[in-house]
Amino acid sequence: MWSNVLYIDLDTGEHTIRDRADLFDKYLGGTGVATQLLLEECPIGVDPLSPQAPIILSIGPLTALLPCASKAVSMFKSPLTNEMGESHVGGRLAMAMRFAGYDSIVIKGRSDKPSYLSIHDEEVKIKDAASIWDVSSIEVTGQILRNVEPGKGRRSIMRIGEGGVNQVRYANVNVDTYRHFGRLGLGAVFGSKNLKAMVISGTEEIDIPDMSAFKKMYNKLYNSVVDTDVMDKYHDLGTAANISVLNQLKGLPTKNLKQSHFENAESLSGEYFADNLLFRKIACSNCPIGCIHIAMLKTQFHKGHEFEFRNISYDYELIYALGTNLGITLAEDVLRLIDRCERYSLDVLSVGGVLAWATEAYERDLITPSDTLGIALRWGDTDKYLKALDQIVKMPNKFYQALAKGTAVAAAEYGGEDYAINLAGVEIAGYHTGPASIIGQIVGVRHSHLDNGGYSIDQKASSQQLTEEKMVDKIIYEDYWRMVNNSLVCCLFARGVYSEQIMIDSLASVGIIKTRDELEALGKEIFLAKYQFKKQEGFDVGRVKVPSRFYETVSQLGKITPETIDNMLTLYREKTGV
Amino acid sequence: MLACSRINVNSVSLIDSAIDIRTSGGLESAFEIIVCRACHDPPCARACPTGALTPRDGGGVVFNKDLCDGCKACAQACLPGAIHFDRSGLPLICTHCGVCSKFCSHDVLELIKVEVL
């Protein structure tokens, strides 16, 4: 029904639109279609930062139609892991793509000079970005493009900062100031294509086959979203509420996972942020929840009472990565670090992991002041971390070049692999909850805690006495069904609302008839197609090394043993065939 | 915007809405809500050369589609810019039905009854 793919070639400056009903009829949209496009468009073994490597963006059949169907999917080959790259974003992008009439966008090639894409309905232009290429801040880039581009109130603006321009391997793409294609380095891929930004907007009207059935479904979903506890959970304190919860449960990675609780957690808690720093909440388009929490930080930029204020979005993961994991004790300092990552468009989870490893390696004299260019990295020392961040982006020496490639690469060069906290080359999310979290991130298609929610399965294991096999079964169930959810594409914060039956009913309300069995089979098929790509790029789930630190530090479920991990991984591989 | 378009125009569109929400300078700035203010002496009605817009009891205007020739003089007369146009070039006039407020989950929009003096 909606199956337009816009192909853009930055080499030639040309674009075409193709109807790919063959893909959308079968794979729905979002991650399902993007995976097929990646398999079609990405040459095996390609350098992820070469012109041949594609960028794929996709939305789904419910996008901009039903509440919380608010996300867009990106797929690419990751310059951080050299295998499948996938990241999802909220903000305005999904809606802008829908009303511009593009269900997927494929970008290939490399522009011969700095450029940005300007897409407004059927008008697709590659424009000169030479005058903004060196603008380091994503905020200023956004302000400039806002003034020269149309579509006010309906558009989405994606852009990269200096981290993306310099191709830091975990640079992100900023979308609409407060959201990101955060993980796995899409920002570096943009940089490698001389692509600074993309603006998209549209004025299309969407045809719905049965308007009255659609309206009924909308009302039902809207009411269930605003009436359930998701509003409290994600809107009130937001995800930052988890700092206190996980700290108490001993699941909060702290100081490079030396600890799983933080003695100063109270001063970084969601409650502290909300009471003292929060000043605004906003929502992605078409979402009634409004989970985006924005803090206001007043900073002095010059002596003599010269102040500015910064608006900085925060979440649980960010406070873990640049707070507890670096031993930072002040919420205001966490915001300063987040703000610097935002300026450069860097993935906060990777930055936190890299700096935590570097701090411990420095503590153990594995790296020296000559490596760090005199920056004495120390737990809790925000000013030093800010300076190190500047160097990671500029990469003036071998050490910072290594840091810009991620924790796994840096530790392979300098040592300290036992405490290089990564799984499959990806710095971890903020959960040391137990074995399901570790397994979940190892096997997850994008090595994200959101692939299967392993952390939440650990929490269930603690209350329901789950066996290892039961935990594996739950991980697999999530791995498959989240493929369906991410093809629609619904925000995972609303996953409690979008049950199996609601997904079936939602699709039916826009004229797409699928049975439960068909969706389940589809989820598995998409999952395996991703593994096909991962394997062809050299990923082997059996060869992922778990740094010993994961076993040494007590988790929410007590100490985790290598035997448990081995057993669960073996079970997982037997059951899924990966 | 989507609620207005869905319920009043039977459409899924960001254009077919009598209310417009946008930022005043990117998401880091404040939101603007551009909607009919229900004037008691509506300039849009005074500007309408065909009599398609007439003052409504209690404020605002009543729109008679059959009389409209799409000249857009009404939009020029409205300082807040609250007269939006659909795809065919006809104005979308807010009837103050309150549908937008029903789908505002954070109580920013509210439909209230005012006494006419």
Side-chain angles (χ1 to χ4, degrees):
Chain A
M1 189 156 48
W2 300 293
S3 49
N4 279 339
V5 181
L6 170 64
Y7 292 83
I8 299 169
D9 187 338
L10 296 173
D11 286 335
T12 62
E14 284 169 5
H15 70 272
T16 53
I17 298 164
R18 286 168 62 195
D19 182 358
R20 294 301 308 270
D22 58 323
L23 293 183
F24 282 88
D25 287 352
K26 181 159 186 206
Y27 298 101
L28 298 172
T31 205
V33 167
T35 302
Q36 296 302 318
L37 288 169
L38 185 71
L39 285 164
E40 284 179 12
E41 298 291 337
C42 192
I44 294 176
V46 75
D47 172 354
L49 298 175
S50 69
Q52 293 75 30
I55 295 169
I56 292 150
L57 307 173
S58 272
I59 57 172
L62 304 185
T63 297
L65 301 180
L66 291 174
C68 303
S70 50
K71 294 207 130 188
V73 171
S74 67
M75 290 193 81
F76 49 99
K77 183 168 174 184
S78 166
L80 182 66
T81 61
N82 272 307
E83 45 124 334
M84 199 193 77
E86 176 177 358
S87 184
H88 301 182
V89 78
R92 304 278 179 265
L93 178 61
M95 170 169 287
M97 282 176 69
R98 164 64 85 221
F99 288 113
Y102 302 114
D103 304 287
S104 290
I105 300 174
V106 175
I107 304 164
K108 289 189 83 169
R110 174 186 283 152
S111 194
D112 58 2
K113 56 180 189 312
S115 302
Y116 76 96
L117 282 167
S118 165
I119 303 170
H120 303 284
D121 290 313
E122 65 280 4
E123 186 184 287
V124 178
K125 284 186 178 160
I126 301 170
K127 294 187 177 176
D128 187 343
S131 54
I132 54 169
W133 185 247
D134 292 329
V135 173
S136 68
S137 144
I138 57 96
E139 199 174 328
V140 176
T141 305
Q143 283 161 1
I144 292 169
L145 289 173
R146 241 170 250 140
N147 290 333
V148 296
E149 285 289 323
K152 186 174 181 180
R154 295 177 280 104
R155 66 192 166 190
S156 175
I157 306 181
M158 307 162 63
R159 63 270 195 185
I160 55 169
E162 201 175 345
V165 165
N166 292 351
Q167 299 176 30
V168 173
R169 300 298 177 100
Y170 42 86
N172 66 31
V173 173
N174 181 288
V175 179
D176 305 324
T177 310
Y178 297 121
R179 300 288 91 181
H180 318 81
F181 281 124
R183 306 227 66 191
L184 298 172
L186 183 62
V189 181
F190 264 58
S192 76
K193 297 191 173 312
N194 270 329
L195 187 58
K196 176 76 173 176
M198 179 175 132
V199 187
I200 180 163
S201 77
T203 57
E204 280 212 357
E205 186 179 359
I206 313 301
D207 284 327
I208 306 288
D210 180 349
M211 215 40 204
S212 106
F214 167 68
K215 284 183 194 171
K216 221 181 265 175
M217 194 68 212
Y218 191 101
N219 290 347
K220 182 178 173 180
L221 277 166
Y222 180 87
N223 291 329
S224 48
V225 171
V226 298
D227 289 343
T228 52
D229 67 343
V230 292
M231 292 301 284
D232 280 345
K233 198 167 156 191
Y234 296 114
H235 180 69
D236 184 1
L237 289 180
T239 57
N242 273 333
I243 291 284
S244 301
V245 177
L246 281 153
N247 191 50
Q248 206 168 15
L249 297 171
K250 288 201 166 42
L252 177 64
T254 298
K255 294 181 187 168
N256 202 36
L257 197 55
K258 282 185 185 188
Q259 304 165 204
S260 52
H261 71 282
F262 187 36
E263 49 281 13
N264 296 101
E266 206 175 314
S267 61
L268 302 185
S269 66
E271 293 81 356
Y272 181 89
F273 271 88
D275 289 342
N276 298 286
L277 295 159
L278 175 66
F279 84 112
R280 196 172 173 225
K281 296 177 206 173
I282 58 175
C284 299
S285 297
N286 199 28
C287 175
I289 300 174
C291 73
I292 305 171
H293 285 59
I294 298 170
M296 184 157 70
L297 182 69
K298 179 179 167 186
T299 56
Q300 189 168 9
F301 66 88
H302 199 271
K303 58 180 190 271
H305 298 94
E306 299 288 0
F307 297 107
E308 66 170 338
F309 72 90
R310 310 281 310 142
N311 302 338
I312 304 155
S313 69
Y314 66 88
D315 261 302
Y316 167 72
E317 300 291 352
L318 286 65
I319 303 172
Y320 135 71
L322 296 178
T324 66
N325 208 33
L326 297 178
I328 305 287
T329 54
L330 292 175
E332 292 77 1
D333 280 347
V334 175
L335 290 176
R336 288 167 67 204
L337 287 162
I338 295 173
D339 191 42
R340 192 67 61 96
C341 288
E342 289 282 27
R343 158 175 277 271
Y344 291 139
S345 70
L346 295 178
D347 172 34
V348 166
L349 282 177
S350 282
V351 166
V354 163
L355 288 177
W357 168 82
T359 306
E360 187 165 347
Y362 191 87
E363 200 173 56
R364 292 165 178 258
D365 294 328
L366 211 61
I367 53 176
T368 64
S370 76
D371 293 320
T372 64
L373 301 175
I375 300 170
L377 296 168
R378 206 177 47 191
W379 304 117
D381 194 335
T382 305
D383 289 333
K384 299 282 178 0
Y385 288 133
L386 288 169
K387 283 185 183 152
L389 258 171
D390 295 342
Q391 300 295 354
I392 287 174
V393 170
K394 307 248 184 286
M395 295 178 255
N397 68 359
K398 206 171 135 275
F399 174 68
Y400 286 107
Q401 283 160 20
L403 287 192
K405 289 180 180 159
T407 309
V409 169
E413 273 181 44
Y414 288 86
E417 287 177 292
D418 289 343
Y419 52 86
I421 306 305
N422 75 93
L423 293 168
V426 184
E427 291 75 15
I428 64 162
Y431 304 94
H432 190 51
T433 45
S437 169
I438 296 175
I439 292 290
Q441 290 177 81
I442 292 174
V443 301
V445 285
R446 48 191 169 127
H447 307 295
S448 161
H449 61 298
L450 291 171
D451 282 327
N452 42 47
Y455 58 97
S456 135
I457 294 167
D458 282 326
Q459 279 156 7
K460 285 191 189 89
S462 125
S463 60
Q464 299 168 15
Q465 302 292 318
L466 298 180
T467 60
E468 289 173 4
E469 181 164 9
K470 201 92 201 127
M471 290 164 93
V472 168
D473 288 342
K474 283 187 179 294
I475 292 172
I476 295 171
Y477 174 86
E478 293 295 331
D479 272 330
Y480 292 168
W481 274 98
R482 288 188 188 203
M483 292 298 122
V484 180
N485 185 89
N486 295 342
S487 297
L488 295 182
V489 180
C490 299
C491 177
L492 286 165
F493 283 3
R495 62 187 177 273
V497 172
Y498 280 89
S499 61
E500 291 174 9
Q501 190 57 46
I502 292 291
M503 285 197 249
I504 294 164
D505 295 346
S506 297
L507 284 167
S509 80
V510 299
I512 298 171
I513 306 303
K514 295 277 176 192
T515 64
R516 187 198 172 278
D517 289 350
E518 282 169 342
L519 290 182
E520 186 179 38
L522 183 68
K524 184 172 181 180
E525 186 182 340
I526 296 168
F527 172 84
L528 291 175
K530 283 175 201 260
Y531 256 88
Q532 180 193 330
F533 183 83
K534 291 168 79 69
K535 284 177 179 170
Q536 82 186 24
E537 298 306 319
F539 176 70
D540 179 350
V541 72
R543 288 220 318 256
V544 175
K545 278 194 199 131
V546 178
S548 59
R549 177 65 51 81
F550 283 92
Y551 302 124
E552 291 153 12
T553 300
V554 68
S555 80
Q556 185 190 334
L557 293 180
K559 278 210 175 175
I560 304 158
T561 65
E563 293 72 31
T564 298
I565 295 298
D566 286 348
N567 182 39
M568 285 175 67
L569 193 57
T570 306
L571 282 168
Y572 185 91
R573 297 186 69 188
E574 280 167 11
K575 285 168 188 267
T576 57
V578 300
Chain B
M1 290 164 76
L2 288 168
C4 185
S5 142
R6 185 172 66 248
I7 290 155
N8 292 323
V9 192
N10 231 24
S11 152
V12 178
S13 155
L14 294 174
I15 306 297
D16 296 335
S17 166
I19 183 170
D20 193 14
I21 312 284
R22 58 193 195 192
T23 70
S24 52
L27 285 164
E28 54 267 44
S29 65
F31 285 107
E32 297 171 342
I33 298 169
I34 303 162
V35 67
C36 173
R37 303 190 59 81
C39 305
H40 284 287
D41 176 18
C44 55
R46 276 188 269 128
C48 179
T50 64
L53 291 175
T54 48
R56 186 177 69 172
D57 286 348
V61 284
V62 176
F63 178 52
N64 184 338
K65 199 175 169 181
D66 296 337
L67 297 178
C68 180
D69 66 359
C71 73
K72 298 192 175 166
C74 51
Q76 290 193 7
C78 177
L79 290 182
I83 298 184
H84 309 287
F85 293 88
D86 70 12
R87 229 159 292 272
S88 66
L90 290 179
L92 287 158
I93 299 296
C94 175
T95 60
H96 301 277
C97 68
V99 149
C100 52
S101 69
K102 289 205 181 96
F103 288 92
C104 175
S105 52
H106 305 296
D107 302 328
V108 176
L109 301 173
E110 198 182 1
L111 182 70
I112 49 168
K113 208 168 186 174
V114 289
E115 293 297 319
V116 182
L117 297 174

